[in-house]
């Protein structure tokens, strides 16, 4: 039996995979991600959520947004971190699953927003450990959704775009399904956009329109509750209204879909960028998307659905309940991770959600500015991946180079996340700059290796960063490292690639003028691809070039 968890900002769910299928645990599977303090004891789930409007000082919600930060939450006199609070929700889910299946739930796969960085992912692992769970693996939420849909019609092929708008986060992923292989092509998102923001604009609109004071925490919490309920009712009705008692008067609050669309128009606009970025990274146009899958409660809003249709030119699929799909996918992933026989034919690949690279200095006129980010493995690279980059010293006679490894998309490293550092000695050279080849290798477990070679001396040095792996055992780590070795051969040195290059050159030798142009183009194209070190690009070129060469050789032999 394998278990998968969707640890949501708003609601959390646990699924179990058995008899070749995932299903949700418990008759009411959505557990509100809320923690409340009652008579000195902490509780979570529905009972805690009930107390949110009446006891706002003793209740916390939406703490997932603070994962990976030092922020603390006050509950009465107690203070807790987002990790503590998430651990309580996870322990609750563990308990639900254990009592229903009679199985001691320990190994789990937990989903996280694709855009969670390494610190946020570490926080999720820490919460799992604190809840006495063993996080086998974290999976990106939209990837989990795609697995759930992909498995349904695994024999179909094409591109799926997963559009996940939850309570606090927005994720977009593009996944290719092909002969039983699910390959994540690109992920993108906005870590600070979700259904809560739609509630917030409605809350502010109501407060202003009806002159409701929001500095009182209790009134504020009740108005929030009213806004949330009006928002949800607008998903099925064109207008919604409710009474609100405040300071001895009763206000009749009402909202129409049109007004809501107006006040939420900025939020709706923000949905566009991550979709465009994912399409761009996947090198696809919106017409090439075969299926659009909606995930997350906030995709129930008609204004979101029509924006999706407008952007992608097709109506979204609604086969699986948008609230359940991520948890089901996480359950499938748990079975995949454990190599369950039922899923023998399914292969999953994933991409790195972030760019990885080093801090470098750039020259402006005759002075140097430090702290620029130079990516080596770019975001949305299929992992495991291994890439090499040549760096140079900045000063003549420099004897040491300090490499600082960062993760992120910002041009300056100060805005990215530092993962580690290493020093490399280079020979003192007062005539020329020294070059260092740096190879970064990264796999799905989070294992990161840095190998450096000083080109003039061929001296090598390696550092393995394992604190991103979430506590893999020494044995697992050494197995992972072995698996990465084969990737570390530069594609330029790979025998098949060398053979293909030689074949193009041989054909060139026997070809005539106009064919020679074509062959030269083939040579350049292939060399560029080798430089970029993208395995899938290289493989597809190997195939297409070999075919062209076959054709060419038949013509010449004739
Ligand atoms: P998360 O993955 O962050 O836990 P969910 O997928 O459970 O979030 O979605 C929660 C969000 O969905 C909340 O902001 C909630 O207001 C919104 N939501 C749920 N049902 C509806 C509905 N019927 N109409 C509009 N929004 C809804
Ligand atoms: Mg979710």
């Amino acid at each position: 039996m394998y278990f998968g968890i969707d640890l949501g900002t708003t609601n959390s769910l646990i699924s179990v995979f058995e008899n070749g299928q995932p299903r949700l645990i418990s008759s009411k599977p959505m557990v509100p991600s809320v923690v409340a303090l009652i008579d000195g004891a902490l509780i979570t789930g529905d009972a805690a959520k009930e107390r949110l409007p009446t006891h706002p000082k003793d209740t916390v919600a939406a703490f997932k947004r603070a994962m990976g930060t030092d922020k603390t939450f006050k509950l009465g006199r107690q203070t807790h971190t987002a990790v503590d609070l998430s651990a309580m929700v996870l322990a609750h889910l563990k308990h639900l699953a254990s009592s229903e299946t009679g199985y001691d739930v320990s190994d789990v796969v937990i989903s996280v927003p694709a855009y969670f960085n390494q610190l946020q992912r570490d926080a999720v692992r820490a919460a799992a450990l604190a809840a006495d769970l063993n996080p086998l693996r974290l999976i990106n939420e939209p990837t989990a959704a795609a697995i759930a849909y992909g498995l349904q019609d695994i024999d179909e092929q094409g591109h799926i775009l997963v559009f996940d708008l939850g309570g606090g986060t927005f994720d977009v992923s593009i996944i290719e399904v092909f002969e039983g292989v699910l390959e994540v092509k690109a992920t993108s998102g906005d870590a600070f956009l979700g259904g809560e923001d739609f509630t917030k604009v409605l809350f502010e609109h109501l407060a202003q329109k009806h002159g409701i004071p929001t500095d009182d925490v209790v009134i504020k919490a009740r108005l929030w509750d009213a806004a949330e309920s009006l928002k949800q009712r607008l998903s099925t009705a064109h207008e919604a209204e409710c009474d609100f008692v405040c300071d001895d008067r009763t206000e009749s609050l009402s909202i129409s879909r049109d007004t809501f669309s107006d006040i939420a128009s900025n939020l709706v606009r923000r949905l566009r960028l991550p979709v465009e970025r994912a399409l761009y990274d996947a090198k696809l146009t919106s017409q090439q998307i075969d299926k659009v899958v909606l995930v997350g409660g906030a995709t129930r809003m008609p204004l979101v659905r029509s924006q999706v249709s407008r952007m992608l030119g097709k109506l979204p699929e609604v086969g699986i309940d948008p609230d359940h799909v991520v948890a089901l996918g996480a359950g499938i992933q748990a079975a995949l991770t454990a190599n369950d026989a039922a899923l023998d034919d399914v292969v999953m690949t994933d991409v790195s959600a972030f760019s990885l690279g080093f801090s470098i200095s750039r020259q402006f006129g005759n002075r140097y500015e430090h702290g620029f980010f130079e990516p080596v493995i770019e975001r949305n690279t299929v992992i495991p991946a291994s890439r090499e980059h040549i760096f140079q010293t900045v000063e003549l006679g420099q004897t040491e180079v300090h490499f600082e490894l960062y993760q992120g998309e910002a041009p300056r490293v100060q805005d990215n996340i530092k993962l580690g550092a290493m020093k490399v000695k280079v020979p003192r050279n007062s005539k020329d700059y020294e070059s260092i080849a740096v190879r970064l290798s990264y796999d799905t477990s989070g294992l990161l290796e840095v190998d450096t070679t000083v080109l003039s001396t061929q001296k090598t040095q390696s550092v393995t960063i394992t604190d991103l792996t979430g506590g893999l055992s020494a044995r697992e780590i050494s197995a992972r490292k072995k698996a990465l070795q084969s990737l570390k051969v530069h594609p330029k040195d790979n025998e098949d690639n060398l053979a293909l290059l030689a074949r193009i050159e041989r054909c060139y030798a026997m070809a005539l003028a106009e064919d020679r142009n074509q062959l030269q183009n083939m040579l350049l194209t292939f060399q560029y691809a080798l430089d970029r070190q993208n395995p899938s690009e290289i493989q597809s070129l190997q195939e297409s070039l070999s075919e062209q060469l076959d054709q060419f050789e038949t013509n010449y032999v004739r």
Side-chain angles (χ1 to χ4, degrees), residues 347-361:
V347 181
M348 250 299 299
T349 65
D350 211 339
V351 292
S352 158
F354 276 84
S355 300
L356 294 163
F358 294 92
S359 172
I360 59 161
S361 304

Side-chain angles (χ1 to χ4, degrees), residues 233-240 255-260 302:
R233 271 152 50 197
L234 270 192
S235 294
T236 44
H238 283 269
E239 309 228 351
I255 182 81
S256 70
R257 267 193 198 171
D258 287 346
T259 312
F260 187 48

Side-chain angles (χ1 to χ4, degrees), residues 358 376 388-394 398-403 422-427 433-439 450-461:
F358 294 92
V376 174
E388 192 176 88
H389 216 82
I390 310 278
F391 291 91
Q392 279 194 325
T393 51
V394 291
Q398 181 176 344
T399 55
E400 196 172 66
V401 182
H402 196 77
F403 284 100
M422 72 191 287
K423 287 197 172 112
V424 173
K425 293 236 179 291
V426 293
Y433 298 103
E434 285 287 317
S435 299
I436 303 125
V438 181
R439 174 166 284 285
V450 188
D451 298 283
T452 61
T453 309
V454 178
L455 295 187
S456 64
T457 59
Q458 287 296 307
K459 254 211 159 103
T460 60
Q461 208 172 311

Side-chain angles (χ1 to χ4, degrees), residues 6-9 11 64 111 141 164-167 169 295-297 322-323 326:
D6 171 6
L7 180 64
T9 313
N11 297 295
K64 179 175 169 183
S111 61
E141 285 165 11
D164 179 353
L165 191 63
T169 51
V295 181
D323 289 325
V326 171

Side-chain angles (χ1 to χ4, degrees), residues 8-11 166-168 195-196 228 231-232 235 296-298 300-301 323:
T9 313
T10 322
N11 297 295
E196 297 251 326
E228 174 69 37
K231 177 189 84 173
Q232 295 207 11
S235 294
R300 291 223 161 87
M301 285 184 283
D323 289 325

